């Protein structure tokens, strides 16, 4: 019998404290206008006293377990995606396990920057379809505010804190993860990094004086990378699933910059009403951004049984990841198995989907080639316009 994964529980937590663009105007040389125009962010949440990655993750996980109607001891595995753990050692995952009361359940953290949740969900899916585990808790949680230099306007306006979690369970109902792609380009490891505090540069006075324990980012390089991989990875997974953008009801992108999201949506032919955006309220919460957006989309009724959704992320590493998830209808398992027993309509449907998907892919490839072919013409008309306007100035 085939095994599939199904998301049965979800939860999120964001701190109470709001930091608005107007607050930031008092702290660094910036403006609400610049931040909104360049990023789409209006405010972000910042941890209060006693709040950490661990406490936020536990709050989100408890909600997810309640929705799934499971007790922590029912879990087979806990995966925590984070780049801002409470301690370098031990892993924050075991602290979360203890706080939840999930005694004995294996737990680990993975670091894949803002792509961490996508890496985590794919990992959970692998354990489930392999038949190893039945129930996996996947958390994305970050306290990036503690890793930010609050005097550096190029980074401090971007990030926020929060956590999101899902419970993934084994099922015989077809659906769940239809396709995924994970990727990394380690040659660009240094465009988004924390220079010191690890073994390459252990804590010392220089680290404190120069604030080398905070995030350094080459924003434009990450921007270029993000627009490219988000578009390509999304296109790949949709094709791999045998679908077209019309079959996708919601795109849930990593919330790093509204301009990146709009660029990718336009390239892919997604109208913005099919794109989940909450960056205005939370900023970039790194590995927590996709699960938080997923939870809000579910709460707003934007995901219904039978829908195909895409989650896509990119981040430090540099890494990227995308996946297509089919939201299974909540039907008794036996009904779903009956549907599986009709091979002809299913095979026909799959064939038709493949044909549509190939046609869409060919159309996108053609439009890219046409753009490239017309590039010299654009450059020439641009130069011509410039020289004409100079002559008549
Ligand atoms: O999760 C992954 C993490 N990171 C990202 O996804 C970041 C991707 N990159 C970005 O989102 C954008 O590159 C930023 C939002 C970081 C920056 O936007 P940009 O349009 O690429 O701006 P820029 O870096 O090219 O800077 C333009 C100008 C510069 O001034 P000059 O050199 O032209 O005089 C900056 O100094 O804007 C200045 N600037 C600011 N001005 C006001 C940079 N930050 C600020 C600021 N307020 N906060």
């Amino acid at each position: 019998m085939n095994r599939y994964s199904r998301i049965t529980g979800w939860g999120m937590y964001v701190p109470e404290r709001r930091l608005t663009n107007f607050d930031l105007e008092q702290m660094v040389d910036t403006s609400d206008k610049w931040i909104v125009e360049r990023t789409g962010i209006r405010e972000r949440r910042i941890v209060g006293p006693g709040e950490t990655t661990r406490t936020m993750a536990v709050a989100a996980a408890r909600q997810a377990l309640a929705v799934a109607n499971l007790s922590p001891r029912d879990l087979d595995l806990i995966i925590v995606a984070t780049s801002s753990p409470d301690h370098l050692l031990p892993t924050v995952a075991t602290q979360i396990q203890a706080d939840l009361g999930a005694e004995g359940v294996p737990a680990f953290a993975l670091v894949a920057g803002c792509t961490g949740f996508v890496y985590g969900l794919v990992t959970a899916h692998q354990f489930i379809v392999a038949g190893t585990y039945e129930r996996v808790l996947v958390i994305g949680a970050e306290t990036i505010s503690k890793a930010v230099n609050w005097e550096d306007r190029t980074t401090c306006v971007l990030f926020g804190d929060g956590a999101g979690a899902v419970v993934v369970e084994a099922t015989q109902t077809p659906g769940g993860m239809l396709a995924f792609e994970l990727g990394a380009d380690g040659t660009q490891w240094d465009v988004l990094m924390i220079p010191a505090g690890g073994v390459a540069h252990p804590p010392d006075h220089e680290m404190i004086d120069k604030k080398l324990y905070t995030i350094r980012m080459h924003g434009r390089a990450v921007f270029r990378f993000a627009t490219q991989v988000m578009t390509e990875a999304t296109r790949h997974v949709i094709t791999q699933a045998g679908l077209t953008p019309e079959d996708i009801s919601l795109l849930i992108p990593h919330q790093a910059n509204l301009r990146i999201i709009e660029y990718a949506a336009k390239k892919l032919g997604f109208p913005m009403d099919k794109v989940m955006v909450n960056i205005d309220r939370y900023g970039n919460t790194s590995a927590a951004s996709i699960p938080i957006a997923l939870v809000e989309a579910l709460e707003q009724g934007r995901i219904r049984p039978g829908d195909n959704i895409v989650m896509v992320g990119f981040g430090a590493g540099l890494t990227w990841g995308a996946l297509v998830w089919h939201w299974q209808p909540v039907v008794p398992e036996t009904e779903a198995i009956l549907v599986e027993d009709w091979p002809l309509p299913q095979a026909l449907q799959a064939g038709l989907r493949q044909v549509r998907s190939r046609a869409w892919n060919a159309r996108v490839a053609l439009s890219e080639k046409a753009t490239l072919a017309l590039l010299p013409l654009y450059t020439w008309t641009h130069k011509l316009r410039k020289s004409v306007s100079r002559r008549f100035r």
Side-chain angles (χ1 to χ4, degrees):
M1 206 150 316
N2 286 338
R3 282 169 71 88
Y4 302 90
S5 23
R6 185 210 292 254
I7 293 178
T8 57
W10 49 87
M12 61 173 273
Y13 179 88
V14 287
E16 282 291 308
R17 190 177 152 215
R18 287 178 159 83
L19 184 73
T20 67
N21 293 349
F22 300 104
D23 296 328
L24 281 161
E25 283 180 359
Q26 311 303 314
M27 297 160 63
V28 285
D29 180 16
T30 191
S31 67
D32 173 61
K33 187 171 178 294
W34 190 97
I35 303 172
V36 172
E37 277 177 12
R38 298 286 179 126
T39 71
I41 302 168
R42 292 181 186 277
E43 60 179 37
R44 65 289 291 141
R45 302 297 182 94
I46 304 293
V47 285
E51 281 180 322
T52 62
T53 297
R54 171 182 174 177
T55 66
M56 292 191 293
V58 169
R62 284 202 177 117
Q63 268 183 31
L65 286 165
V67 174
N69 201 18
L70 290 180
S71 107
R73 283 172 187 241
D74 294 329
L75 293 170
D76 298 313
L77 177 68
I78 299 171
I79 302 172
V80 184
T82 186
S83 301
S84 47
D86 284 36
H87 301 274
L88 276 181
L89 199 71
T91 167
V92 71
T94 56
Q95 297 176 318
I96 294 165
Q97 181 245 42
D99 292 352
L100 287 174
E103 201 180 301
V105 176
F108 67 86
L110 68 83
V111 187
C114 307
T115 324
F117 182 77
V118 176
Y119 268 67
L121 200 48
V122 170
T123 308
H125 171 71
Q126 299 303 321
F127 276 115
I128 282 171
V129 292
T132 317
Y133 293 136
E134 299 298 311
R135 300 177 190 97
V136 183
L137 174 66
V138 185
I139 305 171
E142 302 277 15
T143 315
I144 302 290
S145 65
K146 299 280 185 201
V148 156
N149 177 356
W150 290 100
E151 288 166 4
D152 174 11
R153 68 175 184 172
T154 67
T155 51
C156 76
V157 302
L158 304 174
F159 296 99
D161 301 332
V166 295
V167 173
V168 191
E169 290 191 65
T171 178
Q172 285 156 18
T173 306
M177 182 99 66
L178 300 186
F180 72 85
E181 172 178 309
L182 299 180
D185 175 7
T187 62
Q188 296 197 71
W189 67 271
D190 56 352
V191 301
L192 176 44
M193 65 171 314
I194 295 179
V199 293
H201 186 149
D204 59 7
H205 286 294
E206 188 197 8
M207 175 180 109
I208 305 294
D209 297 343
K210 296 185 179 164
K211 295 204 162 124
L212 300 178
Y213 52 86
T214 60
I215 289 176
R216 301 292 149 99
M217 182 174 71
H218 184 346
R220 277 186 214 173
V222 182
F223 194 98
R224 265 197 307 275
F225 170 81
T227 46
Q228 189 197 335
V229 296
M230 258 185 78
T231 316
E232 284 176 6
T234 304
R235 187 167 358 121
H236 292 165
V237 290
I238 293 176
T239 309
Q240 208 181 306
L243 302 174
T244 70
E246 288 84 55
D247 302 314
I248 306 296
S249 49
L250 193 66
L251 176 69
I252 305 183
H254 168 45
Q255 311 283 311
N257 187 320
L258 184 59
R259 284 191 294 146
I260 295 175
I261 296 172
E262 286 176 342
Y263 175 92
K266 193 167 167 218
K267 274 252 159 182
L268 292 160
F270 272 93
M272 282 307 284
D273 61 357
K274 277 172 65 173
V275 182
M276 185 65 201
V277 175
N278 62 9
I279 189 170
D280 49 323
R281 289 177 289 124
Y282 303 126
N284 179 349
T285 54
S286 190
S289 101
I290 292 177
I292 289 175
L294 172 70
V295 173
E296 290 205 329
L298 283 160
E299 282 171 356
Q300 293 164 12
R302 294 183 69 179
I303 301 173
R304 290 169 203 283
D307 281 356
N308 298 308
I309 61 172
V310 168
M311 300 180 213
V312 57
F314 59 88
L318 292 173
T319 58
W320 75 89
L323 59 90
V324 180
W325 196 277
H326 178 78
W327 210 263
Q328 288 100 327
V330 186
V331 289
E333 303 272 303
T334 45
E335 281 180 40
I337 292 160
L338 276 179
V339 175
E340 249 203 325
D341 285 343
W342 301 340
L344 191 64
Q346 285 236 339
L348 251 176
Q349 277 177 28
L352 281 173
R353 279 204 304 268
Q354 288 293 348
V355 171
R356 283 175 66 215
S357 148
R358 285 208 194 106
W360 169 64
N361 223 17
R363 204 181 67 204
V364 174
L366 202 70
S367 87
E368 268 174 13
K369 275 199 188 123
T371 313
L372 278 178
L374 290 173
L375 210 57
L377 187 66
Y378 292 143
T379 322
W380 182 75
T381 49
H382 179 69
K383 276 188 189 150
L384 188 71
R385 233 184 299 130
K386 261 178 119 178
S387 72
V388 169
S389 66
R390 231 180 282 129
R391 200 161 297 164
F392 292 102
R393 206 179 288 151

